[in-house]
């Protein structure tokens, strides 16, 4: 019998191939030329524009939008790439509603900002469709830099270093480069294998040698890298996942949301991907939303996202929360898990109601249960396996300046380094800036 | 109860909206549709002598776009009617017979020979048309053959041909003027001298709308070449308004009936032409862009405006703005204003700051939190900040009361009126003796 949304357990094929294809299509379809022209015309070309200030990579947004308006999207793309070589991905995944578009004066004026993200995508897509890489390398410096982690920070760092004439070896533990761009973002935000295509395009500058399946703490050691290279950049991300520390966490059907998201991104055939009928996602950030929404899109009948604090404390933006709600995800706040109940496999999760008090979060004593044949844990990631010689700041690698660590010749950036939001765009900015500092150090 | 009915040089029409002589009035089919849609009258597309002219077989129009491909101006290289004279005459007669209450004006252009004009006027009279319009404005093609604007640029020719026409017909004569002159009053005076009943203006403005940077040729491009065309549409309206006003306030031509033409797109545009003295307006580009149905908005909007102001008839407000059009030298130099920014309305785009700081008087300060404030010591009240501000009424010009000190000049604002003619810096000022 054919599977449906109400088939019990964790099963594949709840929806037809056509439904799945529709569900996982582009969240924000690209602009065509005329749509881009109309959207671009709304930009006021502000003085000292607030959107630029709000952009972690400080892209000259009014300039690139004006370049679109005047029919030169490739010029616009150059303006973007000069600041953010992963401008194509950022155009897709940036939470623009809390960055540039929130700062847009038309948001103030009309509650309807200039669609900066989609315009950026129009420009970068147009340029990347040309196939050629827009930058050339400076004369070789003879210096060699190891970049560990081929995610947004590492890629941005490697590109900038290569541009300055240094030779880069780009290591990554996974079999494919891209980091979270490739493994950690909801499918409908970056369709059509864009992450891989973008990496290939980026590597088109030359001088970057990827070494995949090489893990720091595995066959790579910081000491060996320091010995073998003139500088080292660590952009290893947060490979560890926080545990719930809840009774029954080991029951079947309970897993990390990041694994589910990665599996979904790498899936060749969505009809073969199993999902529960009653899904509970525990957490309040982007990962939780990505997992919850995609569970619904795969055909889960009921998906609840449960967060221990109030809505205002959720890391997921208002846009993300609204997206989840619009896809039928029920968002429950002020509840934390007590136990996963079931006999072998998860059947229910019991939650305790919470409230914020002067002393912090407290359980009210009230409890409730949600049916759950699948539970996703999305309560945050943490640094995993960092070399012990590096000083930490809290749970992350301590840095000063543009990513300088406590160890000479070693820089770090992106999610693994202290400071900054854990966003793709922030990682790009940190990787880029570290590259500039490394370049200055190597040129000295 | 207000009415839009007009009587323009004895020609009555149910409303002041006529379609100008142009493609929309080229043949019976279009004109019937126009009358069905509610237009008050038409000026039939210019008739000429047989054998009729031919048009190019490539593109006739170029365009100037605003945002979202909004048509701001059209440029055309079309000639006068390219159909046999008799065909047009028969159609004019048929339409006029069926629509007796609408104004039917026939535009004419024949060589500067009296007999040519006499002959065609006799034929037009046969149709029962209400009047004629002499096309002295068309700036392309026909002008190369000594007609159109080639006549309109020589006041003596205007007067001569107008006089021939007045002598040869009982029909009222409207002279259509070209704006491609340095002083519009000269051709208007010539028309008046020749006995014209009215002038209509403006015809199109010489233009190249754009250059194809691949072909290195002007657009519209005909087999790799282009010729200048005539520009019309919203972009030329300010030029037309000024020219209408010039004629309305010229001592010689004041009172000469004017049919206003040039970018009339909305009821407001029409009202502005009328305020500057026009007795009616002619429309072309707006109809060519949006179709004939726009006349509904034109009529409803103008009527609503009139009722709001208590005007029963067009004549009640026609020319009301003319006395307020003056020369620069008579403007009150004691009228002192300062820009004021409404901080609640401000969206903090900073365009006022960029404009003032880069290109004007450094009279806007940008402070912490993107707060923009006017520096009265520097503000000359140029109005640029008002013009570039995207928020209506966010920046306004506020008058300093008499007695207040203008921080820019350190002088106290005088209550009396004083202009350049008596200003001490004016070398030509008469001594106050």
């Amino acid at each position: 019998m054919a599977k449906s949304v109400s088939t019990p357990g964790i099963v594949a094929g709840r929806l037809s191939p056509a439904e799945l294809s529709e569900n996982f299509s582009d969240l924000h379809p690209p602009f065509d030329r005329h749509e881009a022209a109309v959207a671009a015309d709304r930009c006021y070309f502000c003085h000292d524009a607030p959107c630029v200030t709000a952009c972690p990579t400080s892209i000259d947004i009014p300039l690139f939008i004006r370049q679109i308006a005047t029919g030169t999207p490739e010029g616009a793309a150059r303006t973007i790439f000069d600041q953010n070589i992963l401008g194509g991905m950022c155009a897709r995944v940036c939470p623009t509603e809390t960055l540039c578009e929130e700062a847009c004066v038309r948001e103030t004026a009309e509650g309807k900002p200039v669609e900066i993200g989609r315009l950026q995508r129009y420009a970068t897509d147009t340029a990347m469709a040309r196939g050629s890489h827009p930058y050339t390398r400076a004369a070789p410096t003879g210096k060699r830099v190891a970049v560990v982690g081929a995610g947004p920070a590492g890629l941005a760092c490697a590109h900038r270093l290569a541009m300055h004439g240094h030779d880069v070896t780009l290591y990554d533990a996974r079999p494919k480069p891209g980091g979270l761009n490739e493994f950690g973002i909801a499918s409908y935000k970056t369709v059509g294998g864009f992450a891989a295509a973008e990496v290939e395009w980026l590597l088109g500058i030359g001088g970057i040698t990827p070494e995949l399946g090489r893990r720091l703490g595995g066959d790579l050691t910081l000491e060996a890298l320091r010995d073998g290279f003139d500088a080292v950049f660590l952009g290893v991300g947060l490979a560890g996942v926080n545990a719930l520390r809840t009774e029954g966490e080991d029951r079947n059907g309970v897993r990390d949301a990041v694994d589910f998201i990665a599996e979904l991104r790498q899936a060749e055939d969505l009809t073969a991907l199993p999902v529960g009928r009653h899904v509970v996602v525990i957490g309040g950030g982007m990962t939780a939303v990505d997992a919850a929404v995609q569970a619904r899109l795969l055909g889960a009948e009921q998906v609840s996202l449960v967060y221990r604090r109030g809505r205002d404390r959720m890391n997921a933006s208002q846009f993300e929360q609204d997206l989840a709600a619009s896809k039928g995800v029920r968002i429950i706040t002020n509840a934390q898990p007590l136990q996963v109940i079931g006999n072998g496999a998860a059947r229910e999760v019991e939650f305790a109601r919470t409230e914020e008090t002067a002393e912090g979060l407290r359980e009210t004593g009230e409890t409730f249960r949600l049916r759950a044949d699948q539970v996703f844990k999305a309560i945050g990631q943490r640094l995993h396996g960092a070399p012990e010689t590096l000083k930490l700041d809290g749970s992350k690698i301590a840095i000063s300046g543009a990513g300088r660590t406590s160890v000479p010749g070693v820089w770090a950036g992106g999610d693994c380094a202290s400071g900054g939001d854990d966003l793709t765009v922030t990682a790009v900015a940190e990787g880029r800036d570290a590259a500039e500092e490394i370049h200055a150090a190597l040129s000295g | 109860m207000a009415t839009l009915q007009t009587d323009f040089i004895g020609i009555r029409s149910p409303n002041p909206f006529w379609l100008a002589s142009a493609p929309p009035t080229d043949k019976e089919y279009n004109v019937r549709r126009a009358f069905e849609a509610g237009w008050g009258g038409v000026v039939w597309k210019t008739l000429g002598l047989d054998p009729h002219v031919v048009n190019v077989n490539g593109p006739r129009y170029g365009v100037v776009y605003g945002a979202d491909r909004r048509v701001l101006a059209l440029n055309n290289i079309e000639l006068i009617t390219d159909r046999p004279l008799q065909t047009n005459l028969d159609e004019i007669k048929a339409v006029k017979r069926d629509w007796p209450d609408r104004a039917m004006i026939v535009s004419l252009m024949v060589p500067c020979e009296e007999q040519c004009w006499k002959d065609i006027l006799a034929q037009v009279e046969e149709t029962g048309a209400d009047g004629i319009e002499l096309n002295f404005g068309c700036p392309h093609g026909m002008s190369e053959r000594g007609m159109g604007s080639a006549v309109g640029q020589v006041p003596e020719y205007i007067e001569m041909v107008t006089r021939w026409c007045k002598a040869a017909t009982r029909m009222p004569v409207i002279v259509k003027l070209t704006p491609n002159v340095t002083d519009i009053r000269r051709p208007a005076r010539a028309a008046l001298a020749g006995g014209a009943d009215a002038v209509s203006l403006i015809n199109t403005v010489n233009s190249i709308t754009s250059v194809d940077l691949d072909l290195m040729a002007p657009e519209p491009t005909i087999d790799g070449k282009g010729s200048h065309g005539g520009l019309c549409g919203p972009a030329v309206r300010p030029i037309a308004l000024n020219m209408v006003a010039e004629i309305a306030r010229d001592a010689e031509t004041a009172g000469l009936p004017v049919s206003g033409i040039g970018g009339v797109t909305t009821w407001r545009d029409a009202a502005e032409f009328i305020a500057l003295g026009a007795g009616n307006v002619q429309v072309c580009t707006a109809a060519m862009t949006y179709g004939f149905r726009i006349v509904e908005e034109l009529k409803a909007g103008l009527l609503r405006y009139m009722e709001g102001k208590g005007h029963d008839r067009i004549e009640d407000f026609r020319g009301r703005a003319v006395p307020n059009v003056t020369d620069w030298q008579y403007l009150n130099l004691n009228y002192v204003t300062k820009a004021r920014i409404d901080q609640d309305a401000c969206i903090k785009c900073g365009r006022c700051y960029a404009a003032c700081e880069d290109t004007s008087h450094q009279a806007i300060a940008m402070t912490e939190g993107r707060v923009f404030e006017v520096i009265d010591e520097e503000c000359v009240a140029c109005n640029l900040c008002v013009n570039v501000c995207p928020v209506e009424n966010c920046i306004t010009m506020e008058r300093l009361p008499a007695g207040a000190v203008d921080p820019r000049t350190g002088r106290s604002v005088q209550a009396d009126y004083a202009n350049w003619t008596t200003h001490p810096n004016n070398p030509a000022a008469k001594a106050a003796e």
Side-chain angles (χ1 to χ4, degrees), chain B residues 384-425:
Chain B
L384 182 63
C385 56
V386 175
N387 298 148
V388 301
C389 178
V391 180
E392 201 176 346
N393 292 326
C394 174
I395 310 181
T396 49
M397 281 294 162
E398 305 297 336
R399 185 175 191 174
L400 294 188
V405 174
D406 178 352
R408 184 174 68 87
T409 59
R411 290 198 207 97
S412 145
V413 175
Q414 302 298 301
D416 58 334
Y417 159 87
N419 63 42
W420 174 244
T421 62
T422 56
H423 196 279
N425 286 23

Short mmCIF file of all heavy atoms in Angstrom, two decimals, chain B residues 384-425:
data_model
loop_
_atom_site.label_atom_id
_atom_site.label_comp_id
_atom_site.label_asym_id
_atom_site.label_seq_id
_atom_site.Cartn_x
_atom_site.Cartn_y
_atom_site.Cartn_z
N LEU B 384 16.41 72.02 -2.97
CA LEU B 384 16.91 70.74 -3.51
C LEU B 384 16.61 69.59 -2.55
O LEU B 384 16.23 68.49 -2.98
CB LEU B 384 18.41 70.83 -3.79
CG LEU B 384 19.03 69.58 -4.41
CD1 LEU B 384 18.42 69.29 -5.78
CD2 LEU B 384 20.55 69.72 -4.52
N CYS B 385 16.75 69.82 -1.26
CA CYS B 385 16.48 68.76 -0.28
C CYS B 385 15.02 68.31 -0.36
O CYS B 385 14.72 67.12 -0.28
CB CYS B 385 16.84 69.20 1.13
SG CYS B 385 16.05 70.72 1.67
N VAL B 386 14.12 69.28 -0.55
CA VAL B 386 12.70 68.96 -0.69
C VAL B 386 12.50 68.10 -1.93
O VAL B 386 11.78 67.11 -1.91
CB VAL B 386 11.86 70.25 -0.81
CG1 VAL B 386 10.39 69.91 -1.07
CG2 VAL B 386 12.00 71.11 0.44
N ASN B 387 13.18 68.48 -3.00
CA ASN B 387 13.00 67.79 -4.28
C ASN B 387 13.53 66.36 -4.25
O ASN B 387 12.95 65.47 -4.88
CB ASN B 387 13.70 68.56 -5.40
CG ASN B 387 13.12 69.95 -5.59
OD1 ASN B 387 13.82 70.87 -5.97
ND2 ASN B 387 11.84 70.13 -5.30
N VAL B 388 14.63 66.12 -3.56
CA VAL B 388 15.22 64.78 -3.60
C VAL B 388 14.71 63.88 -2.47
O VAL B 388 14.94 62.67 -2.49
CB VAL B 388 16.77 64.80 -3.57
CG1 VAL B 388 17.31 65.58 -4.75
CG2 VAL B 388 17.30 65.33 -2.25
N CYS B 389 14.03 64.45 -1.50
CA CYS B 389 13.51 63.64 -0.39
C CYS B 389 12.44 62.69 -0.91
O CYS B 389 11.51 63.11 -1.60
CB CYS B 389 12.90 64.54 0.69
SG CYS B 389 12.17 63.61 2.05
N PRO B 390 12.56 61.39 -0.61
CA PRO B 390 11.56 60.45 -1.13
C PRO B 390 10.23 60.47 -0.36
O PRO B 390 9.28 59.83 -0.78
CB PRO B 390 12.24 59.09 -0.99
CG PRO B 390 13.27 59.27 0.06
CD PRO B 390 13.67 60.71 0.08
N VAL B 391 10.20 61.19 0.75
CA VAL B 391 8.98 61.21 1.57
C VAL B 391 8.26 62.55 1.39
O VAL B 391 8.83 63.60 1.71
CB VAL B 391 9.30 60.97 3.05
CG1 VAL B 391 8.02 61.00 3.88
CG2 VAL B 391 10.03 59.65 3.24
N GLU B 392 7.05 62.49 0.92
CA GLU B 392 6.28 63.71 0.69
C GLU B 392 6.08 64.47 1.99
O GLU B 392 5.74 63.88 3.01
CB GLU B 392 4.93 63.34 0.07
CG GLU B 392 4.28 64.49 -0.66
CD GLU B 392 2.99 64.04 -1.35
OE1 GLU B 392 2.76 62.83 -1.47
OE2 GLU B 392 2.21 64.93 -1.75
N ASN B 393 6.29 65.77 1.93
CA ASN B 393 6.07 66.65 3.09
C ASN B 393 6.99 66.38 4.28
O ASN B 393 6.74 66.89 5.38
CB ASN B 393 4.63 66.58 3.57
CG ASN B 393 3.69 67.19 2.57
OD1 ASN B 393 4.04 68.17 1.89
ND2 ASN B 393 2.50 66.63 2.45
N CYS B 394 8.02 65.59 4.08
CA CYS B 394 8.97 65.39 5.18
C CYS B 394 9.82 66.64 5.33
O CYS B 394 10.05 67.11 6.44
CB CYS B 394 9.85 64.17 4.90
SG CYS B 394 11.15 63.94 6.12
N ILE B 395 10.27 67.17 4.22
CA ILE B 395 11.01 68.44 4.26
C ILE B 395 10.12 69.50 3.63
O ILE B 395 9.56 69.30 2.55
CB ILE B 395 12.35 68.35 3.51
CG1 ILE B 395 13.15 67.12 3.95
CG2 ILE B 395 13.16 69.63 3.73
CD1 ILE B 395 14.50 66.97 3.29
N THR B 396 10.00 70.60 4.32
CA THR B 396 9.17 71.69 3.81
C THR B 396 9.95 72.99 3.91
O THR B 396 10.96 73.07 4.62
CB THR B 396 7.87 71.83 4.64
OG1 THR B 396 8.22 71.84 6.03
CG2 THR B 396 6.92 70.67 4.36
N MET B 397 9.49 73.98 3.17
CA MET B 397 10.10 75.30 3.25
C MET B 397 9.20 76.19 4.11
O MET B 397 8.03 76.38 3.77
CB MET B 397 10.23 75.90 1.84
CG MET B 397 11.39 75.35 1.07
SD MET B 397 12.96 75.85 1.82
CE MET B 397 14.03 74.64 1.05
N GLU B 398 9.75 76.67 5.19
CA GLU B 398 8.95 77.49 6.10
C GLU B 398 9.44 78.93 6.03
O GLU B 398 10.63 79.21 6.09
CB GLU B 398 9.09 76.95 7.54
CG GLU B 398 8.73 75.47 7.70
CD GLU B 398 7.29 75.15 7.37
OE1 GLU B 398 6.42 76.05 7.47
OE2 GLU B 398 7.02 73.98 6.99
N ARG B 399 8.48 79.83 5.93
CA ARG B 399 8.82 81.24 5.79
C ARG B 399 9.21 81.84 7.14
O ARG B 399 8.56 81.58 8.16
CB ARG B 399 7.61 82.01 5.24
CG ARG B 399 7.92 83.45 4.96
CD ARG B 399 6.75 84.14 4.30
NE ARG B 399 7.16 85.46 3.81
CZ ARG B 399 6.40 86.25 3.09
NH1 ARG B 399 5.16 85.87 2.77
NH2 ARG B 399 6.84 87.42 2.67
N LEU B 400 10.27 82.62 7.13
CA LEU B 400 10.64 83.34 8.35
C LEU B 400 9.73 84.56 8.45
O LEU B 400 9.55 85.28 7.47
CB LEU B 400 12.09 83.80 8.30
CG LEU B 400 13.19 82.73 8.31
CD1 LEU B 400 14.55 83.40 8.47
CD2 LEU B 400 12.97 81.72 9.43
N PRO B 401 9.15 84.79 9.61
CA PRO B 401 8.26 85.95 9.75
C PRO B 401 9.05 87.26 9.70
O PRO B 401 10.25 87.28 9.98
CB PRO B 401 7.62 85.74 11.13
CG PRO B 401 8.60 84.89 11.86
CD PRO B 401 9.29 84.04 10.85
N ALA B 402 8.36 88.31 9.34
CA ALA B 402 9.00 89.63 9.33
C ALA B 402 9.53 89.92 10.73
O ALA B 402 8.90 89.61 11.73
CB ALA B 402 7.99 90.69 8.91
N GLY B 403 10.73 90.47 10.76
CA GLY B 403 11.33 90.79 12.05
C GLY B 403 12.28 89.72 12.54
O GLY B 403 13.18 90.00 13.34
N ALA B 404 12.10 88.50 12.06
CA ALA B 404 13.02 87.44 12.47
C ALA B 404 14.38 87.68 11.82
O ALA B 404 14.46 88.28 10.74
CB ALA B 404 12.47 86.08 12.04
N VAL B 405 15.43 87.21 12.49
CA VAL B 405 16.76 87.37 11.92
C VAL B 405 17.12 86.13 11.13
O VAL B 405 17.00 85.02 11.63
CB VAL B 405 17.80 87.63 13.03
CG1 VAL B 405 19.21 87.66 12.44
CG2 VAL B 405 17.50 88.94 13.75
N ASP B 406 17.52 86.35 9.88
CA ASP B 406 17.99 85.22 9.07
C ASP B 406 19.41 84.92 9.51
O ASP B 406 20.31 85.72 9.30
CB ASP B 406 17.95 85.61 7.58
CG ASP B 406 18.47 84.50 6.69
OD1 ASP B 406 19.00 83.50 7.21
OD2 ASP B 406 18.36 84.65 5.46
N PRO B 407 19.63 83.76 10.13
CA PRO B 407 20.97 83.45 10.66
C PRO B 407 22.03 83.40 9.56
O PRO B 407 23.21 83.51 9.84
CB PRO B 407 20.80 82.07 11.30
CG PRO B 407 19.35 81.84 11.41
CD PRO B 407 18.69 82.64 10.35
N ARG B 408 21.62 83.24 8.34
CA ARG B 408 22.61 83.18 7.25
C ARG B 408 23.17 84.56 6.94
O ARG B 408 24.38 84.74 6.75
CB ARG B 408 21.97 82.59 5.99
CG ARG B 408 22.96 82.41 4.84
CD ARG B 408 22.32 81.70 3.67
NE ARG B 408 21.32 82.53 3.02
CZ ARG B 408 21.59 83.41 2.06
NH1 ARG B 408 22.82 83.57 1.62
NH2 ARG B 408 20.61 84.11 1.51
N THR B 409 22.29 85.54 6.91
CA THR B 409 22.74 86.88 6.54
C THR B 409 22.92 87.78 7.75
O THR B 409 23.56 88.82 7.65
CB THR B 409 21.69 87.54 5.62
OG1 THR B 409 20.45 87.60 6.33
CG2 THR B 409 21.51 86.74 4.34
N GLY B 410 22.34 87.37 8.87
CA GLY B 410 22.39 88.22 10.05
C GLY B 410 21.44 89.41 9.97
O GLY B 410 21.42 90.27 10.85
N ARG B 411 20.65 89.44 8.87
CA ARG B 411 19.74 90.58 8.72
C ARG B 411 18.33 90.19 9.13
O ARG B 411 17.93 89.04 9.02
CB ARG B 411 19.71 91.05 7.25
CG ARG B 411 21.00 91.72 6.84
CD ARG B 411 20.78 92.56 5.59
NE ARG B 411 22.05 92.64 4.85
CZ ARG B 411 22.36 91.85 3.84
NH1 ARG B 411 21.50 90.97 3.39
NH2 ARG B 411 23.54 91.96 3.24
N SER B 412 17.62 91.20 9.54
CA SER B 412 16.25 90.98 9.95
C SER B 412 15.35 90.95 8.70
O SER B 412 15.55 91.72 7.76
CB SER B 412 15.87 92.07 10.95
OG SER B 412 14.57 92.44 10.82
N VAL B 413 14.39 90.03 8.71
CA VAL B 413 13.52 89.88 7.54
C VAL B 413 12.56 91.06 7.46
O VAL B 413 11.90 91.40 8.45
CB VAL B 413 12.73 88.56 7.64
CG1 VAL B 413 11.73 88.45 6.49
CG2 VAL B 413 13.68 87.37 7.65
N GLN B 414 12.54 91.70 6.29
CA GLN B 414 11.69 92.87 6.10
C GLN B 414 10.28 92.46 5.69
O GLN B 414 10.10 91.47 4.97
CB GLN B 414 12.29 93.78 5.01
CG GLN B 414 13.70 94.25 5.31
CD GLN B 414 13.77 95.08 6.58
OE1 GLN B 414 13.11 96.12 6.69
NE2 GLN B 414 14.53 94.62 7.57
N ALA B 415 9.32 93.21 6.13
CA ALA B 415 7.93 92.89 5.83
C ALA B 415 7.54 93.31 4.41
O ALA B 415 6.65 92.72 3.80
CB ALA B 415 7.00 93.56 6.83
N ASP B 416 8.23 94.31 3.90
CA ASP B 416 7.80 94.84 2.60
C ASP B 416 8.35 94.02 1.45
O ASP B 416 9.23 93.19 1.61
CB ASP B 416 8.23 96.31 2.47
CG ASP B 416 9.74 96.46 2.61
OD1 ASP B 416 10.35 95.59 3.28
OD2 ASP B 416 10.31 97.40 2.05
N TYR B 417 7.79 94.29 0.29
CA TYR B 417 8.20 93.59 -0.93
C TYR B 417 9.35 94.36 -1.55
O TYR B 417 9.31 95.60 -1.65
CB TYR B 417 6.98 93.54 -1.86
CG TYR B 417 7.28 93.33 -3.33
CD1 TYR B 417 7.42 92.04 -3.86
CD2 TYR B 417 7.39 94.42 -4.20
CE1 TYR B 417 7.67 91.86 -5.21
CE2 TYR B 417 7.64 94.24 -5.55
CZ TYR B 417 7.78 92.96 -6.05
OH TYR B 417 8.02 92.76 -7.39
N ALA B 418 10.38 93.65 -1.93
CA ALA B 418 11.51 94.32 -2.59
C ALA B 418 12.12 93.35 -3.58
O ALA B 418 12.31 92.17 -3.27
CB ALA B 418 12.55 94.75 -1.56
N ASN B 419 12.40 93.85 -4.78
CA ASN B 419 12.94 92.95 -5.79
C ASN B 419 14.25 93.47 -6.35
O ASN B 419 14.79 94.49 -5.91
CB ASN B 419 11.91 92.71 -6.89
CG ASN B 419 11.56 94.00 -7.63
OD1 ASN B 419 12.43 94.80 -7.95
ND2 ASN B 419 10.28 94.19 -7.87
N TRP B 420 14.74 92.77 -7.32
CA TRP B 420 16.06 93.05 -7.89
C TRP B 420 16.15 94.44 -8.53
O TRP B 420 17.21 95.06 -8.55
CB TRP B 420 16.39 91.97 -8.92
CG TRP B 420 17.65 92.18 -9.69
CD1 TRP B 420 17.77 92.40 -11.02
CD2 TRP B 420 18.99 92.20 -9.17
NE1 TRP B 420 19.08 92.55 -11.38
CE2 TRP B 420 19.86 92.43 -10.26
CE3 TRP B 420 19.53 92.05 -7.88
CZ2 TRP B 420 21.25 92.51 -10.12
CZ3 TRP B 420 20.91 92.13 -7.75
CH2 TRP B 420 21.76 92.35 -8.85
N THR B 421 15.03 94.91 -9.05
CA THR B 421 15.09 96.18 -9.77
C THR B 421 15.56 97.32 -8.88
O THR B 421 16.10 98.31 -9.37
CB THR B 421 13.71 96.55 -10.38
OG1 THR B 421 12.77 96.72 -9.31
CG2 THR B 421 13.22 95.48 -11.33
N THR B 422 15.34 97.17 -7.59
CA THR B 422 15.76 98.25 -6.69
C THR B 422 16.90 97.81 -5.77
O THR B 422 17.28 98.54 -4.85
CB THR B 422 14.57 98.70 -5.82
OG1 THR B 422 14.06 97.56 -5.12
CG2 THR B 422 13.48 99.30 -6.67
N HIS B 423 17.41 96.61 -5.99
CA HIS B 423 18.45 96.10 -5.10
C HIS B 423 19.75 96.86 -5.29
O HIS B 423 20.13 97.16 -6.42
CB HIS B 423 18.67 94.60 -5.36
CG HIS B 423 19.42 93.91 -4.28
ND1 HIS B 423 20.79 93.96 -4.19
CD2 HIS B 423 19.00 93.18 -3.22
CE1 HIS B 423 21.19 93.27 -3.13
NE2 HIS B 423 20.11 92.79 -2.52
N PRO B 424 20.44 97.19 -4.20
CA PRO B 424 21.68 97.97 -4.33
C PRO B 424 22.76 97.29 -5.17
O PRO B 424 23.60 97.96 -5.76
CB PRO B 424 22.14 98.17 -2.89
CG PRO B 424 21.30 97.28 -2.05
CD PRO B 424 20.05 96.99 -2.80
N ASN B 425 22.72 95.95 -5.23
CA ASN B 425 23.74 95.25 -6.04
C ASN B 425 23.44 95.30 -7.53
O ASN B 425 24.26 94.87 -8.33
CB ASN B 425 23.84 93.78 -5.62
CG ASN B 425 24.54 93.61 -4.29
OD1 ASN B 425 24.57 94.54 -3.48
ND2 ASN B 425 25.07 92.43 -4.05
#
